Amino acid sequence: MNVATSACAPSHCVDWHRIDWSKATKHVQRLQARIVKAVQKGRWGKVTALQHLLTHSFSGKALAVRRVTSNQGKKTPGVDGKIWSSPEEKAQAVLSLRRQGYQPSPLKRVYIPKKNGKKRPLGIPTIRDRGMQALYKLALEPVAETTADLNSYGFRPERSTADAAEACFKALAKKASPKWILEGDIKGCFDNISHDWMIANISMDKVILRKWLKAGFMDKGALFPTEAGTPQGGIISPTLANMALDGLEKLLRKEIQRNTHTGKKVNMVRYADDFIITGKSKDLLENEVKPLVEQFLKERGLVLSPEKTKITHIRDGFNFLGWNIRKYGKQGKYLQKPAENNTSAFLRKVVGIIKGNKAIKQEKLIALLNPIIRGWGNYHQHSVAKETYSSMDHALWEHLWQWAKRRHPNKGSQWIKEKYFQSRGSRNWVFTCKDENGKEWTLLKLSDTKIVRHVKIKGEVNPFDPKWETYREDRLAKHMALSLKGRNKLLRHWKEQNGNCAICGEKITRETGWHLHHIIRTTDGGPDTHRNRVLLHPQCYNQVHIRKLEAVTTGFRKGS
């Protein structure tokens, strides 16, 4: 199937900006749906054949290149120093993703700081190796999603930390719920998973997988071998790690929790390598559950971290994914609040920005702070966070007041207040200003963030199985409405376009990103009105300008 608008076969005819992304996406999705069906029927030979078709298709290769050239790491080179930035390089990259003769390069070792002050090693593959990983992930992820544990939420499509938190609520909130929790943390999970286990058990091309696992890494000019672990920093690594840990929840159900309602109350919630397991007693978790977990991990070359793995009573509470989860009072009221260490980290970050930009214009400081405030507020909006929001707002005000006073040491407090803080409605201390173009900039307040109960995704949902399409579209609409709350122009366009890009017709999500495009450019006399704007994917936005297409709500056509 040819998905490029230029129908010629020779490699030099591939035009990056003429690839029909809608056809490419649909072609890959059909193959992924067939892989799911084959896995469900246990037809593993069929799975292998379909994976081969996908990884050798033009559509799969084009989507893989698009992914690695449009994500956050697109400008980060590997040991070869190369990136794919121009349309010509991307077109050639599609043709370079071939299994025959493929040999991955060593990873580039870098170190990033951890919360405890230590540094975590990270391996950066070359852009070509990232492209190959993205391609093979397209074929592996349908298998991973079909065989995954129901309560695994990390690094999986359409699942989030909010789903994991809601799973904790369902397992622990009731009066009859278990009182004891095993907080599990796997020591160096990505670095220590057994290569032999992965090669024997991961359903993908074994030759390619072995090459990735044994590629080694470069550190300070020296080449080191990799004897264990996944290629950390690679696109496919989270999927490989998830597949290595999948099966633990099923094992606990089979060996310990035979009666889910009146038995030992064993429930598991996992996000990547962090997990909790509930139980009706400390003894149960210590003497039955923990040994079973340790044996499961040992087979995969993994061990529990002694300093981070502990057994806790629900009244003492525990931290999980940035929240503190605990029951309070005689009635045992379940509350999920922002964890103290998470709150402190947020405050350190924003205060660092304020103190590090003492001479910056007010509107630029607001532009730096607002995305961080919005992101942190949205992360905690499903928890009991109103009190914390108010506390953080007050702390921010104190630091902004000091920032303003420092700029004008010879001015009085009233003058400083009038310059930097205005009245808006019933509020008298709103940090706001207008820039030289008359645009108003206002600092967001965390306390304006509406607390909304999150609805957990159904455990059995598979994003590659067509039977869940309607359910997933309804969820996407609700999530986008929440994401775009307060941005009415964007939300109105998204709803009117049924959530679809006006060029390719595929869904616009938080993950894909979007551009608000003027159908007739304002520089050509087009009005800045609703009727003259459409939402597009970033890649489709580029196609519009390079190919001079005209965006409409039902597809595209060449401009006159």
Side-chain angles (χ1 to χ4, degrees):
M1 172 182 165
N2 184 15
V3 293
T5 56
S6 55
C8 51
S11 61
H12 62 270
C13 289
V14 174
D15 186 339
W16 179 255
H17 289 300
R18 290 185 178 275
I19 294 174
D20 189 329
W21 295 111
S22 179
K23 284 187 178 180
T25 301
K26 286 180 170 61
H27 180 60
V28 169
Q29 286 175 341
R30 281 195 293 269
L31 287 173
Q32 289 174 325
R34 292 175 66 190
I35 291 171
V36 169
K37 189 174 181 180
V39 173
Q40 290 170 342
K41 293 183 175 181
R43 298 179 62 189
W44 293 102
K46 183 75 170 178
V47 171
T48 302
L50 291 167
Q51 288 180 321
H52 179 87
L53 276 177
L54 199 161
T55 55
H56 287 71
S57 68
F58 179 87
S59 297
K61 293 175 181 180
L63 290 175
V65 172
R66 186 175 73 167
R67 172 164 183 178
V68 300
T69 56
S70 60
N71 61 14
Q72 288 185 339
K74 63 184 178 181
K75 295 182 180 180
T76 304
V79 292
D80 60 356
K82 295 179 180 179
I83 59 172
W84 297 330
S85 55
S86 70
E88 293 75 22
E89 288 172 331
K90 294 174 186 178
Q92 186 58 40
V94 175
L95 302 166
S96 74
L97 299 184
R98 295 189 298 267
R99 183 183 187 276
Q100 185 177 3
Y102 171 67
Q103 184 61 46
S105 301
L107 306 176
K108 182 173 74 173
R109 176 60 58 92
V110 297
Y111 295 89
I112 58 176
K114 296 172 68 175
K115 293 179 182 178
N116 59 10
K118 297 180 181 179
K119 289 188 175 181
R120 179 165 64 92
L122 190 68
I124 308 297
T126 64
I127 189 71
R128 184 177 179 227
D129 292 335
R130 296 203 294 271
M132 285 292 281
Q133 289 185 22
L135 174 60
Y136 278 82
K137 183 179 179 179
L138 288 172
L140 180 61
E141 209 167 25
V143 179
E145 286 298 304
T146 309
T147 58
D149 283 339
L150 297 181
N151 284 293
S152 162
Y153 299 97
F155 303 113
R156 293 180 60 189
E158 302 179 19
R159 296 186 179 225
S160 66
T161 52
D163 290 309
E166 190 64 17
C168 291
F169 175 85
K170 290 181 178 295
L172 293 165
K174 294 180 181 178
K175 189 174 182 179
S177 296
K179 303 292 190 296
W180 292 92
I181 300 97
L182 170 67
E183 302 174 60
D185 185 274
I186 301 167
K187 188 174 182 179
C189 179
F190 279 80
D191 295 325
N192 295 304
I193 302 174
S194 165
H195 285 180
D196 290 340
W197 188 93
M198 282 192 283
I199 292 168
N201 293 277
I202 301 294
S203 181
M204 67 167 287
D205 190 312
K206 308 296 185 185
V207 174
I208 295 292
L209 178 58
R210 185 184 295 275
K211 286 182 177 181
W212 284 336
L213 297 178
K214 302 298 183 183
F217 64 91
M218 297 290 294
D219 191 8
K220 298 177 182 177
L223 176 63
F224 295 87
T226 45
E227 303 298 337
T230 65
Q232 203 174 153
I235 287 176
I236 203 169
S237 299
T239 304
L240 295 175
N242 265 335
M243 294 185 78
L245 298 176
D246 280 329
L248 179 54
E249 184 179 359
K250 299 182 186 76
L251 182 65
L252 291 168
R253 295 282 186 195
K254 178 183 176 183
E255 298 297 326
I256 298 176
Q257 178 68 328
R258 295 178 179 85
N259 187 323
T260 57
H261 299 291
T262 59
K264 299 177 180 180
K265 301 180 180 180
V266 174
N267 304 284
M268 181 176 178
V269 181
R270 179 169 67 82
Y271 191 93
D273 58 341
D274 290 330
F275 62 88
I276 66 153
I277 301 174
T278 68
K280 72 173 185 179
S281 70
K282 183 177 183 179
D283 181 70
L284 169 70
L285 294 175
E286 186 71 54
N287 298 316
E288 293 188 53
V289 172
K290 191 176 178 183
L292 192 65
V293 172
E294 290 173 333
Q295 180 58 39
F296 176 90
L297 295 177
K298 184 179 179 181
E299 294 171 4
R300 292 151 175 78
L302 301 171
V303 295
L304 290 173
S305 170
E307 62 269 19
K308 295 182 180 179
T309 300
K310 52 189 175 181
I311 297 174
T312 310
H313 195 278
I314 189 63
R315 288 193 179 276
D316 296 324
F318 63 95
N319 289 349
F320 188 54
L321 304 176
W323 294 293
N324 179 261
I325 296 172
R326 184 179 170 189
K327 280 188 173 179
Y328 294 81
K330 293 182 179 180
Q331 299 300 318
K333 185 173 180 61
Y334 178 100
L335 295 180
Q336 171 195 332
K337 299 180 179 181
E340 187 176 338
N341 58 358
N342 185 273
T343 302
S344 300
F346 164 74
L347 192 56
R348 281 196 303 271
K349 187 172 185 177
V350 292
V351 170
I353 291 173
I354 295 170
K355 290 185 176 181
N357 293 278
K358 294 175 181 177
I360 201 173
K361 289 184 178 180
Q362 185 180 4
E363 61 267 24
K364 291 185 177 180
L365 180 62
I366 292 172
L368 288 174
L369 292 174
N370 271 353
I372 298 168
I373 293 170
R374 180 185 291 111
W376 193 80
N378 287 345
Y379 185 84
H380 292 288
Q381 68 179 330
H382 307 299
S383 65
V384 183
K386 274 296 182 185
E387 187 177 324
T388 305
Y389 285 163
S390 296
S391 174
M392 290 298 100
D393 281 339
H394 181 72
L396 266 173
W397 174 85
E398 288 183 327
H399 287 284
L400 290 170
W401 179 246
Q402 292 301 320
W403 176 87
K405 286 205 305 180
R406 183 188 177 281
R407 295 162 72 89
H408 307 283
N410 298 322
K411 296 291 185 179
S413 297
Q414 186 62 32
W415 185 94
I416 294 172
K417 177 186 182 299
E418 289 175 357
K419 178 171 177 60
Y420 293 101
F421 297 89
Q422 307 296 323
S423 295
R424 292 292 182 272
S426 59
R427 291 176 176 169
N428 297 320
W429 288 87
V430 179
F431 193 67
T432 185
C433 67
K434 289 186 178 180
D435 62 20
E436 56 190 16
N437 297 318
K439 180 181 177 181
E440 187 169 284
W441 295 81
T442 302
L443 189 75
L444 296 174
K445 289 184 72 69
L446 283 164
S447 53
D448 287 339
T449 306
K450 187 178 180 181
I451 302 298
V452 181
R453 181 66 179 271
H454 180 76
V455 179
K456 188 181 81 68
I457 191 170
K458 292 181 179 180
E460 61 271 25
V461 169
N462 186 334
F464 302 102
D465 190 337
K467 76 175 185 180
W468 292 104
E469 186 174 352
T470 302
Y471 172 84
R472 290 171 50 239
E473 286 187 352
D474 290 344
R475 258 181 89 78
L476 173 62
K478 292 173 183 175
H479 286 179
M480 287 297 289
L482 194 60
S483 297
L484 297 176
K485 190 174 182 62
R487 291 181 277 180
N488 295 333
K489 288 182 182 178
L490 290 173
L491 182 57
R492 182 180 172 189
H493 281 294
W494 194 88
K495 287 182 175 179
E496 288 182 356
Q497 294 174 211
N498 294 318
N500 300 325
C501 171
I503 289 292
C504 69
E506 298 298 320
K507 289 296 178 186
I508 292 176
T509 68
R510 288 177 291 186
E511 289 72 28
T512 64
W514 56 78
H515 270 292
L516 192 57
H517 168 70
H518 288 89
I519 299 171
I520 303 173
R521 297 185 306 176
T522 54
T523 54
D524 294 335
D528 187 21
T529 60
H530 179 81
R531 292 176 61 84
N532 192 43
R533 294 188 298 252
V534 288
L535 276 181
L536 307 176
H537 288 131
Q539 187 68 45
C540 297
Y541 176 80
N542 292 335
Q543 282 192 331
V544 165
H545 286 279
I546 292 183
R547 293 177 58 196
K548 300 188 183 304
L549 303 176
E550 181 183 346
V552 293
T553 55
T554 56
F556 69 86
R557 61 177 181 267
K558 286 190 176 181
S560 56

